[in-house]
Every structure is written in C-alpha cells, then in structure tokens.
Amino acid sequence: MKRVLVLCTGNSCRSQMAEELWENLGAGEWQAESAGSNPSGYVHPLAIEAMKELDIDLSENTSKHLKQFTDQQFDLVVTVCDNAKESCPVFTGATQTLHWPFDDPADATGSDEEKMKMFRRVRDEIKTKIQNYLNN
C-alpha cells in the first residue's frame, strides 16, 4: 500500500479534506495522513459539513503536528498551502514531494452559506486534483 502525507499550516480544512478524499479515491491502494506545521487544535466545522455532503465523515478527525510523521516513510508528500511549503521540513523519507496550493476556505467571509460556497469549491478542487493524480 502506498502512503501519502498532506501538509498544511493548521491542519483544520484543506489537508483534512484531502486526507479523507485521498483515502476514499485511493480505493484501498493508498493510506493517507494529514498534519500541520502549526496545528489549529480542531477540524473546521464547515470542512466537516462540506465533506458530509460527499458522505465522508470528518467529525472524529483531529489536527496533528507534522513532527509525529517526520521519521516515517511516504511515497508522496503534498503541501496544500504556501505557508506549509515554506515552513515544513524536507521529508527525506518521501519518494516524491508536490506543492498544490489551494485557497484557504477558513479565510472566507460572509454568512455561513457564503462561506460554504468557498469550502465546497476548495473541496471540489482538491478532489479533482487527487483524481487527476491517481488517474495518471
């Protein structure tokens, strides 16, 4: 089984969604983990809602620090925000490292419904990027 580590700053939105999407789309061929360089301590409630729309449950997920993964082997490490790309250590155990920057949905403003539009857009962008990677 291949392993992927998805890194972000807070590990509350993008990397959490990517972890579960990768597990789902990887069809048993991938084990996905996610972590942050400065974990927020929670998974964003709107990220949980956005993923629930795809029948994927994030409610039991927790934000994790990347340090707990530094000695592990990964086939792929993906950074999903520019801050993580700059602040994360090089994972010498990674076969490949990619940078896929996505907008931070936690920065969305307005009503919850307006914010959800951004969460859905970013979720769908992440899903498409993972599908494209897995299909190549």
Side-chain angles (χ1 to χ4, degrees):
M1 182 174 296
K2 293 182 179 179
R3 297 186 75 214
V4 59
L5 176 63
V6 184
L7 299 174
C8 200
T9 306
N11 191 223
S12 68
C13 298
R14 294 165 287 187
S15 52
Q16 289 284 343
M17 291 191 290
E19 174 185 355
E20 296 304 326
L21 285 165
W22 209 298
E23 283 275 340
N24 190 277
L25 297 168
E29 295 179 19
W30 284 86
Q31 176 193 5
E33 302 283 357
S34 69
S37 55
N38 186 20
S40 63
Y42 70 100
V43 177
H44 198 290
L46 295 180
I48 294 171
E49 281 301 308
M51 294 299 286
K52 204 179 282 185
E53 294 175 354
L54 300 181
D55 293 322
I56 297 174
D57 185 10
L58 294 185
S59 64
E60 298 296 316
N61 287 31
T62 58
S63 64
K64 303 166 288 294
H65 198 284
L66 62 86
K67 285 182 183 171
Q68 76 183 73
F69 298 103
T70 51
D71 293 336
Q72 297 184 31
Q73 297 290 313
F74 289 93
D75 297 283
L76 177 62
V77 173
V78 179
T79 54
V80 292
C81 69
D82 289 327
N83 286 341
K85 182 181 181 220
E86 301 304 319
S87 63
C88 289
V90 174
F91 275 79
T92 54
T95 306
Q96 183 181 23
T97 302
L98 298 173
H99 178 56
W100 295 347
F102 297 101
D103 292 334
D104 188 351
D107 291 340
T109 58
S111 68
D112 278 353
E113 188 50 43
E114 290 168 322
K115 292 176 186 175
M116 275 303 294
K117 288 178 185 175
M118 186 167 178
F119 274 86
R120 287 183 189 110
R121 177 179 61 81
V122 172
R123 174 201 66 201
D124 294 345
E125 288 172 0
I126 292 169
K127 182 179 178 184
T128 298
K129 193 79 170 174
I130 293 169
Q131 284 174 322
N132 290 341
Y133 179 87
L134 293 174
N135 290 333
N136 285 331

